[in-house]
Amino acid sequence: MSTWQNEPFVIEVKEGEKKAFCLCGKSKNGPYCDGSHKGSGITPEVVIFDKARKVYACGCGKSAKRPYCDGTHTKS
Ligand code: FES
């Protein structure tokens, strides 16, 4: 079952924490990559956060600023 949703995932990250965000939309563990992209030619966006903060990760897969939410989910 997919975990994608029509709103951002709100994530608290720590300084130095590394996250691999899914960009293919096939992950069953959205917004994170679970390896389902294999063979698609798409790779995850790997981010190492330089400081602790709250992140709004795209949940709908339509943001132009993926892996981050840009509010596109409110326009469909
Ligand atoms: S599962 Fe989507 S980019 Fe890896």
Side-chain angles (χ1 to χ4, degrees):
M1 176 177 223
S2 176
T3 57
W4 295 101
Q5 57 192 28
N6 197 36
E7 61 185 348
F9 292 94
V10 182
I11 304 163
E12 297 279 351
V13 298
K14 299 174 186 160
E15 180 179 343
E17 191 169 10
K18 182 178 175 181
K19 299 277 189 190
F21 292 99
C22 173
L23 293 185
C24 76
K26 295 178 182 174
S27 174
K28 302 283 190 290
N29 188 32
Y32 305 114
C33 173
D34 69 355
S36 297
H37 64 270
K38 286 185 181 139
S40 70
I42 299 171
T43 55
E45 176 83 17
V46 179
V47 180
I48 300 172
F49 293 93
D50 60 357
K51 61 183 179 182
R53 66 182 176 105
K54 187 180 285 187
V55 173
Y56 294 85
C58 176
C60 72
K62 298 173 187 162
S63 172
K65 296 185 177 178
R66 289 179 76 196
Y68 305 110
C69 174
D70 69 355
T72 299
H73 65 279
T74 64
K75 298 170 186 155
S76 55

